[in-house]
């Protein structure tokens, strides 16, 4: 699909595969690539309705792909997908659940009547005509009294009850009753899955999940209910969440674990921030037991969990720096625990703050920035993910121009005045060491001439001189390092910040190119000290956060 093509909105919601221009053997990465290309054009703040339709189609296909379910249920023949009129299969007849008045508690959930407009009521003219001509309560009571209900009867009961009763969660509970009478009925299952994808209140959600586990007792339970668990984890205390999950899993009988693996890898992204350590260790051990069954993309998701865990091990030390670090920390938590749309917005808001509070950012990350390796790697992974969804026309500088741009930058870093001052400053500790070394040699020779008859005395003074010169060398090296660091903080860092306001190359590439220039002479310029600048640049977390923020904000503009 080209940028100028209008998406085939008529393909939604029935054919999300064709909507995303996917065919053949595609995977999660192909789907995300197509999805990101669309939401760059239809951003939520500018095109909220279009974005919601794209997002709903993406979630439907993404869930099916991750869990290995049918990729596009809408592409199945109608008779295979919606066999509404089929009677209960022999041997599958089950006793009706308790009376509807007891299983369906009062509800404060309202469903948009527009949902019914997308359902296949027109394929059943008798009921459709009756709905227009007869009171809904009469039809509802008649359907309830049927001794043997078809899947469509249960769907109609779910829809009508949602319109005329105050029973809590009546729509999904009727679908569950239908699935109990018609196990694995694909249309009822898909309708219930779509219900769990909607952002409903968590009131009564725990009870609904437990009831669902009593009906769907196999590994598909995780695929069916994943979105509901996300909401529950966000909005209730973890102990309550864990109790509901354990109550559900106590009802599952399936020996399959593939859906369980996908579910827990997904759940731990947020769970690592809310769950207690014992539960996390238990779940990770459970995942590791079946690690060889993971797909490639699931391995990548699992590796991201280890980035989070590595950061959490250093998190307490990282947070000691000040409010900017706390903002970065909260943004990481939001990315892991909030919906994609909320997480992206907060991540970009954080970038704006980092740029606008540049001085505070640099102050909190001294050079070298110690103990920041894990958070930088994690932040880079998050930035790459967010960038895929917001990056439209912006692109980084052409890598081929890096040598030219670096040479120009080096000239600014070592301009005549500053370069001369730096060379003079670093020569002082070096000259001091050389002077002390020569003096110690002369003193040693004089002592040796006076004590030529005492070998032990000569060896003693030689050892003392070696120790003294070693300490002197270390001190001179440390002084030179302090001088270099002061020059970096007072001059070079400002020039690098200015550079990243108008250019963007990955910091490691720029550092490598600066180091390559060290000691080289181009024209009348001879660059010395480039290795030191490159070393400082690689260890400057503040500059790294700043340059990343500039890149993302440039993409937004």
């Amino acid at each position: 699909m080209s940028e100028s093509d209008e998406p085939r909105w008529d393909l939604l919601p029935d054919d999300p595969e064709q909507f995303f221009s996917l065919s053949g053997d595609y995977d999660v990465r192909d789907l995300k690539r197509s999805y990101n290309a669309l939401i760059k054009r239809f951003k939520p703040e500018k095109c909220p309705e279009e974005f919601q339709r794209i997002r709903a189609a993406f979630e439907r296909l993404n869930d099916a792909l991750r869990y290995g379910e049918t990729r596009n249920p809408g592409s199945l023949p109608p008779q295979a997908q919606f066999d509404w009129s089929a009677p209960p299969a022999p041997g599958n007849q089950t006793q009706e659940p308790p009376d509807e008045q007891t299983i369906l508690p009062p509800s404060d959930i309202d469903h948009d009547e527009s949902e019914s407009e997308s359902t296949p009521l027109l394929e059943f003219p008798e009921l459709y005509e009756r709905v227009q001509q007869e009171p809904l309560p009469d039809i509802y009571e008649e359907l309830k009294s049927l001794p043997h209900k078809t899947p469509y009867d249960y769907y109609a009961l779910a829809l009508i009850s949602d319109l005329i009763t105050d029973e809590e969660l009546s729509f999904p509970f009727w679908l569950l009753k239908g699935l109990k009478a018609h196990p694995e009925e694909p249309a009822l299952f898909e309708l219930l899955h779509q219900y769990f994808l909607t952002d409903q209140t968590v009131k009564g959600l725990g009870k609904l999940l437990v009831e669902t586990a009593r009906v769907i007792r196999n590994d598909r339970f995780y695929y069916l209910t994943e979105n509901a668990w996300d909401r529950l984890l966000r909005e209730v205390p973890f102990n309550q969440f864990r109790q509901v999950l354990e109550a559900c899993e106590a009802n599952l009988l399936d020996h399959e674990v593939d859906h369980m693996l996908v579910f827990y890898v997904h759940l731990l992204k947020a769970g690592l921030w809310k769950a207690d350590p014992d539960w996390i260790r238990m779940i990770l051990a459970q995942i590791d037991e079946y690690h060889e069954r993971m797909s490639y993309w699931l391995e990548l998701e699992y590796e991201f969990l280890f980035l989070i865990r590595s950061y959490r091990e250093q998190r307490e030390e990282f947070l000691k720096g000040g409010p900017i670090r706390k903002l970065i920390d909260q943004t990481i938590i939001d990315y892991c625990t909030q919906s994609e749309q909320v997480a992206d917005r907060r991540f970009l808001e954080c970038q704006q703050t980092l740029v606008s509070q540049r001085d505070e950012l640099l102050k909190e990350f001294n050079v070298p920035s110690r103990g920041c390796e894990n958070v930088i790697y994690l932040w880079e992974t998050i930035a790459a993910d967010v960038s895929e969804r917001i990056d439209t026309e912006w692109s980084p500088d052409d890598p081929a121009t890096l040598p030219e741009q670096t040479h120009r930058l080096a000239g600014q870093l070592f301009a005549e005045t500053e370069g001369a001052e730096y060379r003079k400053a670093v020569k002082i500790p070096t000259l001091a060491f050389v002077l002390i070394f020569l003096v110690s040699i002369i003193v040693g020779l004089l002592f040796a001439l006076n004590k030529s008859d005492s070998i032990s005395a000569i060896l003693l003074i030689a050892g003392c001189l070696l120790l003294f010169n070693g300490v002197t060398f270390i001190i001179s090296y440390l002084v030179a390092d302090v001088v270099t660091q002061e020059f970096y903080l007072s001059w070079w860092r400002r020039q690098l910040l200015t550079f990243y306001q108008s250019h963007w190359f990955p910091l490691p590439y720029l550092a490598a190119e600066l180091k390559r220039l060290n000691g080289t002479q181009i024209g009348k310029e001879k660059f010395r000290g480039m290795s030191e600048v490159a070393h400082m640049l690689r260890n400057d977390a503040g500059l790294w956060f700043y340059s990343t923020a500039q890149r993302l904000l440039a993409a937004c503009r």
Side-chain angles (χ1 to χ4, degrees), residues 315-327:
R315 180 170 176 250
E316 186 175 342
E317 187 67 27
F318 178 78
L319 289 174
K320 293 179 180 178
I324 294 294
R325 293 189 180 218
K326 290 181 175 63
L327 173 65

Side-chain angles (χ1 to χ4, degrees), residues 105-106 108-109 168-169 173 201-211 232 240:
D108 58 356
I109 296 180
E168 185 178 283
L169 303 175
F173 271 113
T201 178
V202 296
K203 183 180 180 181
L205 186 57
K207 178 177 180 178
L208 175 60
L209 287 167
V210 173
E211 291 295 332
L232 205 63
Q240 181 180 341

Side-chain angles (χ1 to χ4, degrees), residues 11 69 93 98 114 119 132 152 160 205 225 236 242 252 262 265 284 297 308 361 399 429 435 467:
L11 294 172
E69 291 282 327
Q93 283 278 23
S114 63
T119 61
Q132 291 183 319
Y152 181 71
I160 296 173
L205 186 57
T225 60
V236 304
R242 182 176 180 177
L252 302 184
V262 177
V265 170
L284 288 174
W297 66 265
I308 300 174
L361 169 67
L435 180 62
L467 179 63

